[in-house]
Amino acid sequence: MQDESGKAALGSPAVASATTAQNSLHLNGHNINQNGHNTTATPQPEFGSGAPSPTPSPVPVIPREQWGGKYEFLLSCIGYCVGLGNVWRFPYLCYRNGGGVFLIPYFIMLFVTGVPLFLMELSLGQYGAAGPITVWKCCPLLKGIGIGMLCVSCLVCLYYNVIIAWTFYYLASSLQSPLPWSCEAIANVGLCGNITTNSSAGRGLSPTEKFWNERVLGVVNSEGLHDPGPVRWPLALCLLAAWIIIFLCMLKGIRSSGKVVYVTATFPYFVLIVLIIRGATLEGSLQGIAFYLTPDWSRLANAQVWNDAASQVFYSLGIGVGGLLSMASYNKFDNNVIRDTLIITGGNCCTSFFAGFAIFSILGHMAWKKGVPVGEVADTGPGLAFVAYPEALALLPGSVFWSIMFFLMLFMMGIDTLFGNMEGITTAVLDEFPHLRTNTLHKSLFLGTLCFCFYLMGLLLVTDGGIYWFTLIDSFSTSFGLIIITLFMCMGISFFYGVNQFCQDIIDMIRHCPPWCTKVLYYFKACWVFCTPFLLLLILIYIFMEMYNTSLHYGPYVYPRWGKALGVCIGATCCMQIPIWAIVALCKETGTLKDRFQKSIRPLNSWRVNLNSSIRVEQQMGPERVEAPFTVTLTDMDFTAMRWDAGTEA
């Protein structure tokens, strides 16, 4: 196999024959290999009459960081997956899509698309030891997939840190007693006294809803998407603090972030368990749990439900964003990716499911207090976590302490997820410009510039009308564009790179592959070739046929047509990178269109040439083996004194 430069790919017969020719003995006209086989008798001069051919200088290999241990990688991936989406997005989607019926499409999408694609990303990153762009040396035609992942990751980082800024604001507000959103606060005495009266005439307004909409968002001062209003500087300062923390934690790469996750990935579970226990003791909690688990079967015919399920699987697991691929690229070559996939996806799924109990037990209590159905007790969107949870915290003994703990938990969850997204961006750039890895100053300047640019762009989302822009980006950045990216990734690896070759790569990495791993690979192979592409394609058809016929809204505000078109353009920008860079790859090749296509789907020479594979090759070779060309000249006495067995290996 050769690329455009004419060099044979690593592992091809051309390289094998070249290495054999270099490591052979020239014995009086006989070409004898090191293993003792007598090959073709080619006349060779006894003495080299010309100058020795210059030995090509080796290409310098820049050392690549690796995780300090397997637990750092596992905790980093669990922290990356178990984020704010498990707390506010998954329960909110259940709440919006008819309760427990949402669990059916969620689990279908998880087992047929989520877990197989999760394993594909981890395996691709670990085997190639490269980020989301450079890893497509395995198939240059699909380099646009990596660029699209980078675009999605940038959009997620842009609005995700705004949620962390909200948690900072609530965390600072929690340092006072009574809590400003509780009924004990002087400003809320009249409001809490009128809840029952307001409920008889219409929907009651709780102190937490007033605090969220008026003091935090300021959305009451904006008319819609066209009226963002001024920047809310308290939120802007919180956003700046969030980006400074991200910068400091990622300054040393995985060496620093890998240690932070020991706390940030485990502490949220402690707080979540306490909230579940407390919620179960509240009056009316069973009503909320029943709403959570009771399915409304008619909702299954709605394409939006299936789209939300696919979006939540990709959003929660981080598929198609590049973070998983980047974190796996720092693994040891022989790490068991199948085991890690099952552990991480299982832990993420269980966390989402049990977080729903904490959310809906509180919603049931709120509905009981207001005397309304569960489906009417909270706003949609991220406000669910900033309305329902604060009200639950106000009911706990020592509410100030638990409020601090809860919002500290939200902060840790958000930081972990943002680590993965930022790692996807930085790894992609550092792999394309490897000299930045060796220069600490330049690497720090790049990271600081990236964080500052994200901060400046994020100021739009902390204006009075910022929540409208937040909802727009959140709705379309992880929607059809992300599904198209993962669809092409799945089909590209399965049909261009070769699903059999990819499965063999996984077995080569695991080395001592247990029997159960081999059997599980049959299931994943069937998903990669048939089930996953088919289901993703079906979801896309539903999206384009029905989804955009429904209106996008935040609360009572309905988005205008131009706002919806802008959201579609945001999603299209990400997936359009695939055909653009495919055309670029075809233009770089020569020959007919068919020849260009065949050349562009071949792995480059540098594929599989990384630090991990180099170490593996060195371990397999004997210590005495010489890699440079050499010639040994023997006399006739030396030749006749030796006994050669042409058919036996030495």
Side-chain angles (χ1 to χ4, degrees):
M1 181 182 299
Q2 294 183 347
D3 68 345
E4 183 179 359
S5 62
K7 297 181 181 179
L10 183 66
S12 64
V15 172
S17 61
T19 306
T20 305
Q22 288 179 355
N23 299 331
S24 60
L25 305 177
H26 305 296
L27 307 177
N28 279 357
H30 296 276
N31 189 12
I32 307 298
N33 291 331
Q34 278 186 304
N35 62 6
H37 287 290
N38 188 354
T39 59
T40 59
T42 306
Q44 299 286 343
E46 294 187 9
F47 301 95
S49 57
S53 59
T55 303
S57 58
V59 179
V61 178
I62 298 178
R64 189 179 184 86
E65 294 175 306
Q66 286 190 342
W67 296 103
K70 62 180 181 179
Y71 295 110
E72 288 187 10
F73 171 70
L74 279 176
L75 288 176
S76 296
C77 286
I78 291 176
Y80 171 66
C81 297
V82 179
L84 297 171
N86 299 79
V87 174
W88 68 262
R89 189 181 178 97
F90 180 83
Y92 149 62
L93 290 178
C94 286
Y95 164 82
R96 188 176 76 174
N97 293 303
V101 72
F102 182 73
L103 299 177
I104 297 175
Y106 175 76
F107 281 111
I108 292 176
M109 296 300 298
L110 177 68
F111 289 113
V112 182
T113 63
V115 178
L117 291 173
F118 193 95
L119 175 62
M120 177 174 284
E121 274 207 53
L122 287 190
S123 303
L124 191 61
Q126 180 173 310
Y127 191 84
I133 298 178
T134 311
V135 78
W136 290 103
K137 294 182 294 185
C138 66
C139 184
L141 184 71
L142 300 178
K143 183 179 180 180
I145 294 177
I147 307 293
M149 288 180 175
L150 194 63
C151 294
V152 174
S153 187
C154 289
L155 289 172
V156 172
C157 288
L158 177 63
Y159 78 85
Y160 204 88
N161 217 13
V162 175
I163 307 176
I164 301 178
W166 294 338
T167 64
F168 266 132
Y169 190 91
Y170 271 87
L171 189 60
S173 301
S174 300
L175 301 176
Q176 52 184 303
S177 181
L179 294 174
W181 55 82
S182 66
C183 287
E184 285 76 15
I186 298 177
N188 298 328
V189 172
L191 185 64
C192 291
N194 293 331
I195 287 181
T196 305
T197 305
N198 293 339
S199 297
S200 60
R203 187 176 184 276
L205 184 64
S206 68
T208 53
E209 292 170 324
K210 181 179 179 180
F211 183 84
W212 167 248
N213 290 318
E214 296 182 8
R215 292 188 56 180
V216 180
L217 298 180
V219 68
V220 294
N221 303 320
S222 174
E223 296 180 359
L225 200 64
H226 64 283
D227 180 28
V231 173
R232 302 184 66 82
W233 291 108
L235 281 182
L237 293 177
C238 292
L239 183 63
L240 179 62
W243 278 115
I244 290 176
I245 292 176
I246 291 293
F247 171 76
L248 294 177
C249 290
M250 296 194 62
L251 192 57
K252 294 184 178 180
I254 62 173
R255 288 180 297 172
S256 55
S257 63
K259 302 299 185 294
V260 174
V261 294
Y262 280 103
V263 177
T264 58
T266 56
F267 177 77
Y269 286 98
F270 168 73
V271 181
L272 195 60
I273 291 174
V274 172
L275 288 173
I276 292 176
I277 295 174
R278 176 54 180 161
T281 62
L282 296 175
E283 190 76 24
S285 60
L286 293 179
Q287 180 183 355
I289 299 300
F291 181 83
Y292 176 48
L293 298 178
T294 303
D296 180 8
W297 298 103
S298 63
R299 299 286 294 172
L300 290 177
N302 192 337
Q304 185 67 41
V305 177
W306 291 90
N307 174 68
D308 286 343
S311 176
Q312 172 60 20
V313 168
F314 296 154
Y315 185 93
S316 181
L317 293 179
I319 298 172
V321 183
L324 291 172
L325 207 150
S326 298
M327 288 190 292
S329 68
Y330 299 106
N331 267 340
K332 294 182 179 179
F333 185 80
D334 58 350
N335 180 63
N336 192 332
V337 288
I338 299 180
R339 176 201 60 202
D340 292 349
T341 296
L342 298 179
I343 292 175
I344 297 168
T345 55
N348 175 75
C349 177
C350 293
T351 304
S352 296
F353 183 72
F354 286 109
F357 284 94
I359 284 284
F360 281 95
S361 61
I362 301 303
L363 292 181
H365 179 65
M366 292 173 62
W368 174 79
K369 286 188 63 177
K370 296 182 178 182
V372 297
V374 179
E376 299 180 6
V377 294
D379 289 336
T380 58
L384 187 62
F386 295 96
V387 174
Y389 267 64
E391 184 161 343
L393 299 174
L395 301 174
L396 294 173
S399 57
V400 173
F401 171 77
W402 289 112
S403 179
I404 294 174
M405 290 294 101
F406 171 72
F407 289 111
L408 191 60
M409 177 197 75
L410 285 188
F411 165 73
M412 292 182 178
M413 282 183 165
I415 286 293
D416 281 343
T417 303
L418 208 55
F419 280 161
N421 289 320
M422 288 293 292
E423 194 63 56
I425 299 174
T426 55
T427 301
V429 176
L430 294 180
D431 284 348
E432 292 295 306
F433 305 97
H435 63 277
L436 290 176
R437 292 188 184 274
T438 59
N439 193 315
T440 306
L441 177 60
H442 291 173
K443 181 180 178 181
S444 302
L445 289 176
F446 162 71
L447 182 61
T449 303
L450 184 66
C451 292
F452 184 67
C453 291
F454 276 132
Y455 169 72
L456 292 180
M457 292 186 291
L459 290 177
L460 174 64
L461 306 183
V462 293
T463 58
D464 287 339
I467 188 63
Y468 298 125
W469 289 94
F470 176 94
T471 305
L472 182 70
I473 299 176
D474 174 43
S475 300
F476 288 95
S477 62
T478 56
S479 183
F480 69 92
L482 190 61
I483 295 179
I484 291 176
I485 289 174
T486 53
L487 175 62
F488 273 87
M489 179 183 70
C490 183
M491 296 181 65
I493 293 297
S494 299
F495 300 107
F496 291 167
Y497 183 75
V499 67
N500 292 327
Q501 178 63 51
F502 189 67
C503 292
Q504 185 59 46
D505 293 343
I506 296 176
I507 295 176
D508 291 342
M509 286 191 294
I510 301 178
R511 292 189 185 179
H512 306 290
C513 186
W516 67 269
C517 287
T518 306
K519 295 178 181 178
V520 168
L521 273 180
Y522 288 115
Y523 166 75
F524 288 124
K525 182 187 294 187
C527 288
W528 290 331
V529 176
F530 301 107
C531 303
T532 302
F534 175 76
L535 193 52
L536 291 178
L537 190 60
L538 190 63
I539 290 295
L540 280 178
I541 295 175
Y542 274 124
I543 290 175
F544 292 123
M545 287 182 60
E546 297 184 10
M547 178 182 173
Y548 297 114
N549 293 327
T550 60
S551 61
L552 178 66
H553 59 86
Y554 175 79
Y557 175 74
V558 179
Y559 280 73
R561 187 182 298 266
W562 66 267
K564 201 172 183 181
L566 180 61
V568 174
C569 292
I570 291 175
T573 301
C574 301
C575 58
M576 282 301 294
Q577 303 299 321
I578 300 175
I580 291 175
W581 289 94
I583 294 174
V584 172
L586 291 174
C587 293
K588 288 182 178 180
E589 302 295 343
T590 59
T592 63
L593 183 60
K594 182 179 179 180
D595 294 337
R596 291 169 184 257
F597 177 79
Q598 291 178 345
K599 290 179 181 179
S600 62
I601 64 175
R602 295 176 182 172
L604 298 180
N605 289 350
S606 53
W607 175 242
R608 303 176 183 172
V609 181
N610 52 65
L611 183 61
N612 292 326
S613 59
S614 298
I615 294 175
R616 182 169 62 119
V617 171
E618 290 175 3
Q619 291 174 348
Q620 291 178 350
M621 293 189 306
E624 300 297 331
R625 184 165 182 173
V626 182
E627 291 298 328
F630 62 92
T631 301
V632 177
T633 303
L634 303 177
T635 64
D636 289 336
M637 293 182 60
D638 293 324
F639 186 80
T640 55
M642 301 174 67
R643 181 177 180 181
W644 300 93
D645 295 328
T648 307
E649 291 187 357

